[in-house]
Amino acid sequence: MNTNTLPAALAEIVDDFQALTEPDRLQLLLDFSRGLPELPDRLKDHPELLEQVVECQSPLFLAIEAEKASDGAPAYRLFFKAPPEAPTTRGFAGVLHEGLDGLTAAEILAVPDDMPELLGLTRAITPLRMRGMTAMLGRIKRKVAAAHRLES
Amino acid sequence: MSYPVEQNEKFAEYANPERLVSTEWLAAALESGALADGKLVVVESNEDVLLYETGHIPGAVKIDWHTDLNDQVTRDYIYGEAFAALASAKGISRDTTVVIYGDKSNWWAAYALWVFTLFGHEDVRLLDGGRDKWIAEGRDVTTDVPEPAAGEYPVVERNDAPIRAFKDDVLAHFGNPLIDVRSPEEYTGQRTHMPNYPEEGALRGGHIPTAASIPWARAAAEDGTYRNRTELEALYLGEAGLQAGDDVVAYCRIGERSSHTWFALKFLLGFETVRNYDGSWTEWGNAVRVPIVKGAERGSVPALAGK
């Protein structure tokens, strides 16, 4: 697999990871975990609007919102919540947020399901832990696909 | 040789009080410069592979259960040579006192301690309450990664038999008590695996016949410390029905949560023979022609084919 089918921001993140040695990739994932944005207040006060991704070893909640665009397809906004004591989960969420937030349904749904493998973290993180990230991406795509069906 | 043992009322009730240290004790030991000469080494072992990097007890080294302790090819633990190299690199010598702590009420720390015990490391202790208690008490943490002077660790081969059970050992164990430490949903078979998570699951849901269900976290108090001896006795002697002198096998999904229970039975209640079945449900629930029981009843000793 190559990065040709990835949205530009996500392709750039993948390139950044691949350019690094394994220990530095972990450090970069840690940076993403620190950079994961806080939930906006309207979601903070409404935990019922977030859906738990139970496949992750640590609690991870996510929500998507379609932002109407005057011209063309709506942009999907992604929101994540994961506790600070789960930096690996937060790091994955940070990667997906930076790589997919604000894209159209078509762009998000085109991301290959095994995209997390491209980060080159499998050995350092272990396959078991990588599954959480694959599940997170799968959940985002399912939610976006469902919302997209309602829109159209 | 080893570092002095902590004396306190709670620990004194346990069978092996020398296996636990409190956060107060560790803070005082660090304060007095205990880490300087390699006699005491503090190890953090977590479920989350990046948690140590976000901040840890000053001077603590990291050991990851999966990347450091598991063999990367065979489903087994590392062997003597790899363990000696790992220990030395972390500043640990054979006579070092090792204190292990971690996240989630020391679930993974207990697993690391169990692996140290497979190699016969004599003085290895748990920090009661683990990482969460240390942080909740506002004690020092740092992101500085220590570079310890290499320890001197001989190549010692694992001695699995006393504390590790394999599938055949469990089949031969019927008639003796088993403790299943998974969630009630996993025990009854209501849940075989998490939704969309088939890789980690099992083909069958349920439990090993006759196993008592005591989810591991019931041995821990709110603050992540082990419950006191009276409470542990109510749980394992009362509810599970263990009797002094019993030969016990504990299991979970891959052997990590059951390490926490193994520690409680072995060192806090003093059962001589307690083995952790690390193949656990990911092996048993997939193995061909092994008996299982569904539902909340423990079930009876099965008549095994060919016996």
Side-chain angles (χ1 to χ4, degrees):
Chain A
M1 183 169 47
N2 57 44
T3 54
N4 289 347
T5 56
L6 296 181
L10 194 56
E12 197 176 315
I13 295 170
V14 166
D15 287 343
D16 288 347
F17 271 95
Q18 287 186 348
L20 296 172
T21 61
E22 223 168 60
D24 287 343
R25 286 175 191 164
L26 282 178
Q27 200 55 47
L28 182 56
L29 190 64
L30 192 60
D31 292 344
F32 273 104
S33 91
R34 293 190 175 120
L36 182 68
E38 286 269 310
L39 286 178
D41 288 342
R42 67 176 191 285
L43 287 175
K44 257 187 209 159
D45 303 335
H46 289 280
E48 75 281 2
L49 296 176
L50 295 158
E51 182 176 321
Q52 182 169 13
V53 180
V54 292
E55 297 90 337
C56 291
Q57 289 190 337
S58 305
L60 173 87
F61 296 85
L62 71 86
I64 63 158
E65 286 175 4
E67 228 167 49
K68 290 263 188 281
S70 51
D71 52 336
Y76 282 88
R77 307 301 312 270
L78 310 180
F79 304 94
F80 298 91
K81 188 181 120 190
E85 59 272 18
T88 303
T89 300
R90 283 182 65 87
F92 288 157
V95 166
L96 294 176
H97 183 267
E98 192 169 315
L100 300 177
D101 184 49
L103 299 185
T104 64
E107 289 170 309
I108 292 173
L109 295 176
V111 175
D113 292 339
D114 54 356
M115 166 266 145
E117 306 291 328
L118 290 176
L119 297 174
L121 286 164
T122 307
R123 195 170 62 179
I125 296 281
T126 77
L128 191 72
R129 289 161 171 150
M130 286 304 294
R131 283 176 205 142
M133 184 165 189
T134 309
M136 216 184 282
L137 174 62
R139 186 63 65 95
I140 291 168
K141 287 175 71 174
R142 279 200 297 283
K143 285 177 79 74
V144 168
H148 183 59
R149 275 195 300 275
L150 285 179
E151 294 281 335
S152 50
Chain B
M1 205 74 116
S2 64
Y3 213 77
V5 168
E6 175 168 5
Q7 312 285 340
N8 73 41
E9 250 175 58
K10 179 193 171 197
F11 294 173
E13 291 180 348
Y14 294 136
N16 295 88
E18 73 281 6
R19 291 296 184 157
L20 284 175
V21 303
S22 66
T23 48
E24 293 80 15
W25 182 93
L26 183 60
L30 297 184
E31 185 79 15
S32 70
L35 298 185
D37 56 5
K39 285 204 173 65
L40 179 74
V41 171
V42 181
V43 171
E44 177 163 331
S45 209
N46 296 317
E47 176 176 277
D48 193 300
V49 70
L50 282 178
L51 190 53
Y52 170 90
E53 281 76 5
T54 68
H56 50 263
I57 296 178
V61 295
K62 166 186 172 180
I63 291 185
D64 184 63
W65 66 279
H66 205 135
T67 55
D68 288 325
L69 296 177
N70 279 10
D71 187 272
Q72 295 305 302
V73 181
T74 311
R75 181 173 174 183
D76 199 359
Y77 301 96
I78 54 173
Y79 292 86
E81 226 156 280
F83 186 76
L86 173 70
S88 305
K90 302 295 177 187
I92 298 169
S93 299
R94 189 67 173 163
D95 60 357
T96 296
T97 296
V98 179
V99 171
I100 310 185
Y101 74 98
D103 59 355
K104 313 212 162 173
S105 306
N106 277 332
W107 156 359
W108 302 92
Y111 187 61
L113 183 144
W114 178 73
V115 175
F116 269 73
T117 308
L118 289 174
F119 288 99
H121 192 92
E122 201 167 307
D123 190 359
V124 53
R125 314 178 189 182
L126 275 186
L127 174 66
D128 202 23
R131 179 185 165 94
D132 290 346
K133 184 160 194 276
W134 183 273
I135 288 174
E137 290 169 348
R139 298 183 188 278
D140 288 349
V141 290
T142 178
T143 52
D144 295 341
V145 176
E147 291 173 10
E152 282 177 29
Y153 214 93
V155 174
V156 183
E157 287 312 329
R158 289 194 328 250
N159 182 15
D160 289 346
I163 60 167
R164 184 181 186 193
F166 294 96
K167 185 176 118 236
D168 287 346
D169 299 327
V170 178
L171 286 167
H173 181 79
F174 281 126
N176 295 297
L178 285 148
I179 306 281
D180 183 318
V181 315
R182 298 171 302 155
S183 63
E185 293 79 12
E186 289 168 282
Y187 179 85
T188 56
Q190 185 188 332
R191 173 193 287 170
T192 50
H193 54 74
M194 298 188 194
N196 305 309
Y197 213 155
E199 301 94 329
E200 223 197 310
L203 293 172
R204 297 282 180 277
H207 56 270
I208 300 178
T210 73
S213 169
I214 307 283
W216 72 280
R218 295 184 61 195
E222 293 291 306
D223 63 358
T225 57
Y226 272 107
R227 296 201 174 274
N228 66 36
R229 178 147 192 169
T230 311
E231 293 167 327
L232 291 179
E233 284 178 349
L235 206 51
Y236 296 107
L237 303 185
E239 209 171 310
L242 298 183
Q243 292 175 5
D246 272 347
D247 173 356
V248 190
V249 168
Y251 72 94
C252 57
R253 183 177 55 86
I254 55 171
E256 15 59 289
R257 286 174 284 182
S258 45
S259 298
H260 185 271
T261 297
W262 169 83
F263 184 95
L265 294 173
K266 175 93 181 159
F267 296 129
L268 306 184
L269 293 183
F271 283 90
E272 282 288 316
T273 312
V274 188
R275 286 172 294 168
N276 182 23
Y277 169 39
D278 59 278
S280 276
W281 199 255
T282 52
E283 177 178 49
W284 196 273
N286 288 314
V288 175
R289 289 183 109 179
V290 298
I292 68 165
V293 172
K294 286 185 169 293
E297 298 301 321
R298 291 178 187 175
S300 50
V301 173
L304 293 173
K307 289 222 166 179

